[in-house]
Amino acid sequence: MSDIFSRIEHSRTADEVVQQIESLILEGVLRTGDRLPGERELARQFDVSRPILRDALKALEGRGLLITKAGGGTHVADVIGQLFTKPVTDLVSMHRKAVTDYLEYRREIEGVAAEYAARRATADDIALLDRIMARMDEAHRTGDFDDEAEIDVEFHHAVCECAHNIILLHTLRSCYRLLSEGVFQNRLLVFSVPGAREALLAQHRAIYKAVKAGDPSAARQAAMDHISYVERSMLEAERSGDWQRVSRLRLKQRSDADDGFKTTG
């Protein structure tokens, strides 16, 4: 974080500091929970006086964009989480149709995000995608399920960032928040479907390659195909789980009946 802030070139007012930090939050450079450098260092980077910096930070805190923790410095506030309030999140988690609607929404929006990413990704964007893809390959190789699931979400975050569209960035981030907070617990069932881990890796690689190659059409189709696969796999896993539950109950019931017959016979 030490070199993401730029020297204020003009009148060096608190407003200019506020605008720069606002832009960094809006563009997703500063993310929820990120800690800003200390006051002395931050004033040096902006090349403003500490009183001016304090005024700027106070204004941003007053608007709910920053929070100051006692003894813990200044952090970016949880502005993304506010797109889905707690009551709405609870409702979503309790209704089966919400899962279907969630995936339908993601299929269309992620298709657009991937298309834009293929058109707009910079060399630095691609470098970040390279690193995430390498980590995904390694997590798959080692069979680290938790890492694989976490990097899955991080990959989608990165593709969205490559799209360089502020509204897409924040709406999709709020969607991914639902995943990271476990609102859709049954998404983990996908990994139980035979061959799913390999298929998911191949789908992520297809999105990655299309974005890297600058092929908007292929990127959009790969992203939409991926979400369609997730939807089908979730349904298959749920049906399979239900079949197994019924089979176990049927076996138990008939075993108990047989035992009862033997006893009375």
Side-chain angles (χ1 to χ4, degrees):
M1 183 170 298
S2 61
D3 55 0
I4 66 172
F5 303 99
S6 302
R7 179 177 180 273
I8 301 297
E9 297 289 348
H10 305 297
S11 59
R12 294 184 176 86
T13 66
D15 286 345
E16 291 177 270
V17 175
V18 166
Q19 289 170 12
Q20 189 176 145
I21 294 178
E22 281 177 342
S23 294
L24 291 170
I25 293 173
L26 199 56
E27 295 284 0
V29 178
L30 287 174
R31 301 189 291 182
T32 298
D34 281 350
R35 181 176 179 175
L36 272 58
E39 184 181 290
R40 184 188 301 275
E41 173 60 20
L42 200 52
R44 184 193 65 79
Q45 291 186 38
F46 281 124
D47 192 20
V48 298
S49 68
R50 292 172 74 174
I52 284 177
L53 177 66
R54 289 190 201 110
D55 286 345
L57 297 181
K58 184 178 180 181
L60 290 163
E61 188 171 356
R63 289 167 49 200
L65 294 175
L66 298 178
I67 55 173
T68 300
K69 301 178 181 179
T74 301
H75 299 253
V76 178
D78 185 8
V79 292
I80 302 304
Q82 295 172 14
L83 295 180
F84 281 105
T85 62
K86 182 67 164 59
V88 172
T89 299
D90 289 343
L91 281 174
V92 166
S93 68
M94 291 185 294
H95 289 267
R96 177 65 184 85
K97 183 178 183 296
V99 179
T100 303
D101 288 353
Y102 171 83
L103 290 172
E104 181 178 71
Y105 177 80
R106 274 191 60 190
R107 178 169 52 244
E108 299 302 319
I109 299 303
E110 288 202 28
V112 173
E115 177 182 338
Y116 287 178
R119 295 182 190 279
R120 300 172 178 175
T122 67
D124 288 333
D125 289 330
I126 298 302
L128 179 60
L129 278 179
D130 287 342
R131 283 162 42 188
I132 293 172
M133 196 69 229
R135 288 172 51 216
M136 186 178 284
D137 285 333
E138 178 61 16
H140 182 81
R141 186 187 66 79
T142 59
D144 190 324
F145 172 79
D146 289 336
D147 265 5
E148 207 164 2
E150 183 178 330
I151 295 169
D152 182 318
V153 176
E154 188 177 347
F155 173 83
H156 288 285
H157 266 295
V159 171
C160 184
E161 289 172 347
C162 292
H164 292 280
N165 181 293
I166 289 169
I167 304 303
L168 276 176
L169 174 66
H170 291 285
T171 52
L172 278 173
R173 271 192 175 178
S174 68
C175 282
Y176 302 145
R177 172 71 67 85
L178 297 180
L179 293 182
S180 62
E181 291 182 350
V183 173
F184 299 120
Q185 293 288 355
N186 52 356
R187 82 180 180 99
L188 302 178
L189 290 174
V190 173
F191 290 89
S192 69
V193 174
R197 290 179 63 245
E198 291 71 21
L200 291 170
L201 180 66
Q203 290 159 21
H204 287 128
R205 185 173 287 114
I207 298 169
Y208 160 73
K209 286 183 175 179
V211 170
K212 189 169 183 175
D215 188 335
S217 177
R220 180 175 189 141
Q221 192 61 54
M224 295 180 72
D225 288 348
H226 167 59
I227 301 299
S228 293
Y229 173 84
V230 170
E231 189 171 26
R232 290 194 307 271
S233 297
M234 283 178 64
L235 179 61
E236 180 182 340
E238 288 172 355
R239 291 177 65 194
S240 177
D242 194 52
W243 291 338
Q244 290 173 13
R245 179 185 63 80
V246 171
S247 297
R248 280 195 298 269
L249 290 173
R250 187 184 295 129
L251 178 62
K252 183 178 186 307
Q253 171 63 17
R254 293 183 183 175
S255 296
D256 291 345
D258 288 346
D259 288 345
F261 176 77
K262 290 175 183 177
T263 300
T264 57

